[in-house]
Amino acid sequence: MVYYNMGDYSKALSSYERSLEIQQIALPPNHLDLAQSYNNIGAVYFHIGEHSKALSSYQRSLEIRKIALPPNHPDVAQSYNNIGMVYDNMGEYSKALSSLERSLEIFKIALPSNHSLLATSYNNIGMVYDNMGEYPKALSSYERSFEIFKIALPPNHPDLATSYNNIGMVYDNMGEYSKALSSLERSLEIRTIALPPNHPDVAQSYNNTGMVYSHMGEYSKALSSYERSLEIQKIALPPNHPDFARSYNNIASVYDTMAEYSKALSSYERSLEIRIIALPPNHPDVAQSYNNIGMVYYNMGEYPKALSSYERSLEIRTIALPPNHPDVAQSYNNIGMVYDNMGEYPKALSS
């Protein structure tokens, strides 16, 4: 657990698996401690992006809990929640919603109406709708979560900051930037009161504020926010933590938009270096980095280099994602654009 909280997932996984081996010898096959070990292993796989392994571990945990516990026990609901979050990250949103809604049903039976776990369920359902682009439904779920948190928690609790953050990001996706900034600024206010000044969640607030400024075309403000986020992460996180990669990626995207391609390329390449160290080789975020590097080369008119990066991105996406995932389509589209600019029209048309 300590290694997990430190972000040292390989050591966490090794310790959790050793614990499971001992429990499998010492305990009955459906003992709840085994369920907890499978759950912990699933959480590690989830964070390193190995979704099929995470799903398998979480499902094994659920199987044991369904045998060992009453059908409406909160731990059963938690297993459905965890499974739903894996499906969300895999882009299988209907399965994600099904699991998360089952989790919510159980929590409604098992817990008081204003329990914080109900708020978490509504929050997670909102995340799926947000990823599906169903922003009014996402906003409704996030606001329901927020209403419960307001009753259940002190006024400056970090979970309230998370609600303001999520509501702000939906408004950003809807193009309502003033509302987005208002929510994100309230989130940052709470986090600066409730958390240490160099906490990763404070960095997240600056990062998300930077995204809104970027979408508004206020690039100097966006860069300032992204760089503040990165400064905090350098203090708070291990040197190759995936959040660093996200910050470098976001900084690069602003430089790319400003047509400062050499700076964009440098930041995107730094993001890729971290992701290659921190993540499995076929993680979707690695594919995103190759895609973004390809985009800079495309904008620079260096089409062979762009093509190479786009093709590497596509290779990873075809391994990591469902065959009809929108990111796979994006890769084919980008490859087609390069071929079009190179005058290879049959290849462009095919892609």
Side-chain angles (χ1 to χ4, degrees):
M1 189 182 302
V2 175
Y3 283 130
Y4 176 83
N5 291 331
M6 291 171 64
D8 194 337
Y9 298 125
S10 63
K11 289 182 181 177
L13 187 61
S14 176
S15 294
Y16 282 145
E17 288 176 340
R18 182 69 187 111
S19 175
L20 178 63
E21 288 168 8
I22 295 168
Q23 289 170 339
Q24 286 173 327
I25 296 167
L27 299 173
N30 291 312
H31 194 281
L32 285 173
D33 286 354
L34 286 166
Q36 187 60 47
S37 285
Y38 281 114
N39 183 80
N40 293 344
I41 289 167
V44 177
Y45 281 129
F46 177 76
H47 276 88
I48 65 175
E50 297 210 24
H51 297 134
S52 62
K53 291 181 180 178
L55 192 61
S56 175
S57 293
Y58 280 146
Q59 286 172 337
R60 184 68 188 107
S61 179
L62 175 61
E63 289 167 9
I64 295 170
R65 285 173 171 172
K66 286 169 75 175
I67 294 167
L69 296 171
N72 291 315
H73 192 282
D75 286 353
V76 177
Q78 191 62 49
S79 284
Y80 279 113
N81 175 82
N82 295 345
I83 289 167
M85 295 309 293
V86 178
Y87 280 130
D88 177 54
N89 276 266
M90 294 172 73
E92 298 199 31
Y93 299 128
S94 62
K95 290 181 180 179
L97 278 177
S98 177
S99 291
L100 292 171
E101 287 168 351
R102 181 71 187 107
S103 176
L104 179 61
E105 289 167 9
I106 296 171
F107 280 140
K108 283 180 177 177
I109 295 167
L111 301 173
S113 59
N114 289 314
H115 195 283
S116 61
L117 283 174
L118 283 168
T120 300
S121 279
Y122 281 112
N123 179 78
N124 292 348
I125 289 168
M127 286 175 60
V128 179
Y129 281 128
D130 194 14
N131 291 332
M132 294 171 73
E134 297 203 27
Y135 300 129
K137 289 182 179 179
L139 191 61
S140 175
S141 293
Y142 282 146
E143 288 175 340
R144 182 71 187 105
S145 175
F146 178 63
E147 289 165 10
I148 297 171
F149 277 141
K150 277 204 300 187
I151 296 168
L153 300 173
N156 289 314
H157 192 281
D159 286 349
L160 281 170
T162 299
S163 283
Y164 278 115
N165 178 80
N166 293 346
I167 289 167
M169 295 313 293
V170 176
Y171 279 130
D172 179 56
N173 287 327
M174 295 170 74
E176 298 199 32
Y177 300 128
S178 63
K179 290 181 180 179
L181 278 177
S182 176
S183 291
L184 291 171
E185 286 167 355
R186 183 69 187 111
S187 176
L188 178 60
E189 287 170 12
I190 296 172
R191 286 173 170 171
T192 53
I193 294 167
L195 300 171
N198 292 314
H199 193 281
D201 287 351
V202 178
Q204 184 201 50
S205 284
Y206 282 111
N207 177 80
N208 292 349
T209 301
M211 286 178 65
V212 179
Y213 281 130
S214 179
H215 295 152
M216 294 171 71
E218 297 202 30
Y219 300 125
S220 63
K221 290 182 180 179
L223 275 177
S224 177
S225 294
Y226 284 147
E227 286 168 351
R228 182 71 187 106
S229 177
L230 182 61
E231 288 167 11
I232 295 170
Q233 289 169 343
K234 285 179 178 177
I235 297 167
L237 300 173
N240 289 311
H241 193 282
D243 285 354
F244 278 118
R246 182 185 63 181
S247 285
Y248 282 112
N249 183 82
N250 292 344
I251 289 167
S253 71
V254 177
Y255 282 130
D256 187 39
T257 303
M258 296 170 69
E260 295 201 32
Y261 298 131
S262 63
K263 290 182 180 179
L265 195 59
S266 175
S267 291
Y268 277 141
E269 287 173 343
R270 182 70 187 107
S271 178
L272 175 61
E273 288 167 9
I274 295 169
R275 285 173 170 170
I276 288 172
I277 293 168
L279 300 172
N282 291 315
H283 192 282
D285 286 353
V286 178
Q288 183 202 47
S289 285
Y290 280 111
N291 180 80
N292 293 346
I293 289 167
M295 186 170 57
V296 178
Y297 280 130
Y298 177 83
N299 291 333
M300 294 170 72
E302 296 201 29
Y303 299 128
K305 289 182 179 178
L307 187 62
S308 175
S309 293
Y310 282 148
E311 288 175 340
R312 183 70 188 107
S313 179
L314 177 62
E315 286 170 12
I316 296 170
R317 285 173 169 173
T318 53
I319 294 168
L321 299 172
N324 291 316
H325 194 282
D327 286 353
V328 178
Q330 181 199 52
S331 285
Y332 281 113
N333 181 75
N334 291 346
I335 289 167
M337 288 172 61
V338 177
Y339 280 129
D340 186 39
N341 279 275
M342 293 171 73
E344 297 200 31
Y345 301 123
K347 290 182 179 179
L349 191 60
S350 174
S351 290

